[in-house]
Amino acid sequence: MRNTAIALTSALALALTACGGGGGEASLKGEPIAAVKAPEGSSWTSTIAKTERGYLMGNPDAKLKFVEYAAVTCPGCAQFHRDSDKELKAMVETGVVSFELRPFLVHGLQDVAGFSLAKCNGPEAFFGLTGRMFDDQMSWLGKLQTGLTEADQRAYEAADMKGKINFFAAKFELVDFVKQLGVSEDAAKACLADDKAREELIAQTERISEEGKVTGTPTVMINDVVVNPASWNVVKNSLQQAGAR
């Protein structure tokens, strides 16, 4: 994604080869870290905050800061979510590990549509909405690959950026998808039309691309060290070696 601006406005078919984060094996060693209790009446997995680049779940002062750059249309990200969700949340609940999900628009405007809706009900709902998008990814993502016509192609090419985002949202039937998860239709349409939020998502991906550490999704980091995301077991082992045990 060296030229993000072009990718954001021109790609119609899924460029699945863009999935696949980089990163070599990271050697992370540390002594076991003592658990930290959440504040009375709360839990770390329900402690959610918006950050400069994404959304953070867990103890903001956790010793191990786990970050994932992900795209809602990335099959590798969906698989990583399904494999990691239960055990990663168990680690977060100890207060030793925090989890920050940072949007990276690996498939351009297709991801803008999904992330715009995932942000719709505020930070507290973000992980639940993205989690369901990952869990059910092929039920909505597959609609684009099977339902395109020449008229669709012409309509997409003639649309402005906002129109292209709405095109993907309509083809994926994402408004109906998030309505089942508690997002009202009016709120969903407002989020898709939010120019400021869209520009922030695009600018963030461009900045991250220019930094050079993230070239695909998922890309995962522990305390800013890139870890091979080949499987959740590899990442889990790195977290454990770093002290989450």
Side-chain angles (χ1 to χ4, degrees), residues 41-245:
S42 67
S43 66
W44 286 129
T45 50
S46 63
T47 303
I48 313 293
K50 191 178 186 304
T51 65
E52 182 181 356
R53 292 192 168 187
Y55 292 83
L56 185 138
M57 174 194 298
N59 178 6
D61 299 317
K63 298 292 185 184
L64 299 179
K65 301 185 185 301
F66 178 72
V67 172
E68 178 187 0
Y69 289 88
V72 290
T73 62
C74 167
C77 299
Q79 187 63 54
F80 188 82
H81 165 78
R82 290 190 291 267
D83 292 343
S84 67
D85 189 47
K86 184 176 180 180
E87 290 183 307
L88 179 55
K89 283 180 178 175
M91 288 182 172
V92 169
E93 199 60 78
T94 67
V96 171
V97 178
S98 63
F99 172 41
E100 184 177 357
L101 182 62
R102 295 178 178 176
F104 187 80
L105 310 177
V106 77
H107 292 139
L109 296 182
Q110 299 172 57
D111 288 309
V112 172
F115 279 125
S116 295
L117 293 170
K119 296 164 66 176
C120 234
N121 274 8
E124 295 79 10
F126 179 80
F127 285 97
L129 287 167
T130 53
R132 283 295 299 274
M133 287 182 186
F134 286 136
D135 285 337
D136 299 335
Q137 188 186 74
M138 289 315 300
S139 72
W140 58 268
L141 189 60
K143 290 181 170 66
L144 182 65
Q145 296 172 314
T146 59
L148 289 177
T149 65
E150 289 186 12
D152 288 330
Q153 180 77 33
R154 290 194 297 272
Y156 176 82
E157 291 173 352
D160 60 11
M161 189 177 291
K162 189 181 295 186
K164 285 177 167 64
I165 293 169
N166 279 297
F167 173 91
F168 286 122
K171 282 298 171 184
F172 293 145
E173 299 179 12
L174 279 175
V175 172
D176 286 340
F177 184 88
V178 298
K179 279 170 61 178
Q180 300 174 49
L181 304 175
V183 179
S184 72
E185 184 168 346
D186 287 345
K189 289 180 178 178
C191 287
L192 289 169
D194 189 334
D195 294 335
K196 182 180 178 182
R198 179 190 70 233
E199 292 304 323
E200 286 176 353
L201 279 168
I202 293 171
Q204 173 174 295
T205 293
E206 291 175 339
R207 286 194 301 270
I208 294 166
S209 296
E210 289 167 2
E211 290 168 3
K213 266 193 171 183
V214 181
T215 58
T217 54
T219 293
V220 299
M221 301 178 184
I222 300 171
N223 291 353
D224 209 34
V225 175
V226 178
V227 178
N228 190 333
S231 73
W232 163 241
N233 284 335
V234 170
V235 176
K236 178 174 66 173
N237 183 60
S238 295
L239 284 164
Q240 291 171 334
Q241 287 184 349
R245 57 187 191 276

